[in-house]
Amino acid sequence: MDTALNFYILTFFDLTLITALLWLAYQSLSTDNIFKAVILFVSFGLLMALAWVRLHAPDVALAEAALGAGLTGPLFLAAYRRMEKLQKKERRLERNDEQENDEQS
Amino acid sequence: MSSHNTYPERKNSLALPVILLTSGLFLLLSYTLLSIEQAGGLAAQVQSALPKSGAESPVTAVLLNFRGYDTLLEVMVLFLSILGAWSIGRASLPQALIKTSTIQISCVRLLIPLMILIAFYLVWQGTRFAGGAFQGGSILAAAGVLLLVSDFPKLIQIHSIHLRLGFILGPVTFILIAFYCIFTNKTFMAYPAAIVSQLLLFIEIACAISIGLTLAALFAGGRPAQESSIAQRKGSTL
């Protein structure tokens, strides 16, 4: 392929990648929805792996894809599930307390 | 509060100082980065010492040989993380054997050996190309996560002593080899030149197993429900 054309395509790709990374990072940090934040974080990790490939660091790219996106994401999701379970339990306890109070009164 | 999965409250009083500090740090880092001479870093030195390192990939040579001490500390940090997770509570695995669909189980049975094969291929080829203990270990951990989310029936029969031995396999192998170097070369972690590549591969395989087990156990989120017989005996006497 023509080297100049190749250069333009790659520069365009890099700029798109950088924009997408910054946007995903901002969205992931600013959203109020934790589940959405985790999904955005995983997408950020995958794009970050692509960025490492563009920086000619295949080792870091592999680690980022496997650890950053593949494992940290599920870890966050597992923690999220536990948080939800805990909150449900707390609510049930609160409801039980209310019922007891009602019965007493 | 609109929904249960939102943050309880947002405090914006710290936002301005944090933004200012972060921008200051960003500018400082940018200035430092731009003021560094374009000398190519340490690549030339690494390349010249590569034949002696026992690894053909410069990344593996730096990670396990030239800066092996850092990698040892990284493996120890992972070990500390699982110590923390296990001291908090028990894993929420299903207590009784639940019925899982046949298709799911056979799919998992097909995938797990393949994942283990790929993991060890990544470790083995890490001495020459991209890959290594962390990459292979994370594939192993992914296999473990797959087993955990598919509620594989045999999983709750795993004894915690096996997991404990698995966690320390990597750090202990690394430290033993590092101390072995004191006896042969009079220096900590100065691998003997004759068997350096074999030693590196040995460390990498042991570390990959430990990393995989640790990350999968972190996903499970706590100690296994079934404790080792030693712990049970201790508990009964107390």
Side-chain angles (χ1 to χ4, degrees), chain A residues 28-35 37 58-60 62-63 66-67 71 74-75 77-78 80-82 84-85 87 91, chain B residues 4-7 10 57 59-60 90-92 122 129-131 134-135 138-139 141-142 145 215 218-222:
Chain A
S28 173
L29 287 175
S30 64
T31 179
D32 274 345
N33 189 330
I34 296 177
F35 183 75
D59 288 81
V60 192
L62 260 178
L67 285 169
L71 267 165
L75 266 178
L77 285 179
Y80 173 71
R81 198 179 56 185
R82 286 196 153 201
E84 271 202 326
K85 264 188 200 165
Q87 270 173 340
R91 263 191 233 151
Chain B
H4 55 273
N5 52 10
T6 55
Y7 299 114
R10 269 296 164 95
S57 153
V59 178
T60 312
R90 290 183 190 283
S92 54
L122 270 179
F129 314 107
F134 274 88
Q135 287 86 346
S138 55
I139 304 281
V145 169
L215 292 172
L218 279 177
F219 182 81

Side-chain angles (χ1 to χ4, degrees), chain B residues 77-192:
Chain B
V77 164
L78 261 180
F79 180 61
L80 283 180
S81 73
I82 195 62
L83 276 187
W86 275 32
S87 60
I88 286 173
R90 290 183 190 283
S92 54
L93 289 176
Q95 290 297 310
L97 291 173
I98 53 160
K99 250 203 161 335
T100 325
S101 91
T102 325
I103 298 169
Q104 193 183 341
I105 287 293
S106 17
C107 188
V108 169
R109 284 215 167 110
L110 203 71
L111 274 173
I112 297 298
L114 201 66
M115 289 174 95
I116 293 171
L117 189 70
I118 291 170
F120 281 105
Y121 173 70
L122 270 179
V123 175
W124 174 72
Q125 73 140 24
T127 53
R128 281 175 295 154
F129 314 107
F134 274 88
Q135 287 86 346
S138 55
I139 304 281
L140 273 184
V145 169
L146 185 64
L147 281 178
L148 281 166
V149 293
S150 62
D151 289 328
F152 203 68
K154 289 224 168 74
L155 219 56
I156 56 167
Q157 294 166 11
I158 294 178
H159 247 256
S160 82
I161 190 76
H162 296 145
L163 289 175
R164 284 161 204 257
L165 287 175
F167 295 152
I168 60 164
L169 180 67
V172 163
T173 310
F174 212 150
I175 291 170
L176 281 181
I177 287 176
F179 272 104
Y180 166 74
C181 297
I182 294 184
F183 292 113
T184 54
N185 280 15
K186 303 264 192 296
T187 321
F188 190 67
M189 262 184 183
Y191 307 116

Side-chain angles (χ1 to χ4, degrees), chain A residues 23-61:
Chain A
W23 185 78
L24 278 173
Y26 174 73
Q27 286 289 314
S28 173
L29 287 175
S30 64
T31 179
D32 274 345
N33 189 330
I34 296 177
F35 183 75
K36 194 178 158 190
V38 173
I39 301 301
L40 285 168
F41 177 81
V42 172
S43 332
F44 175 85
L46 286 173
L47 284 190
M48 197 64 218
L50 266 184
W52 284 119
V53 172
R54 285 292 302 135
L55 289 167
H56 304 288
D59 288 81
V60 192

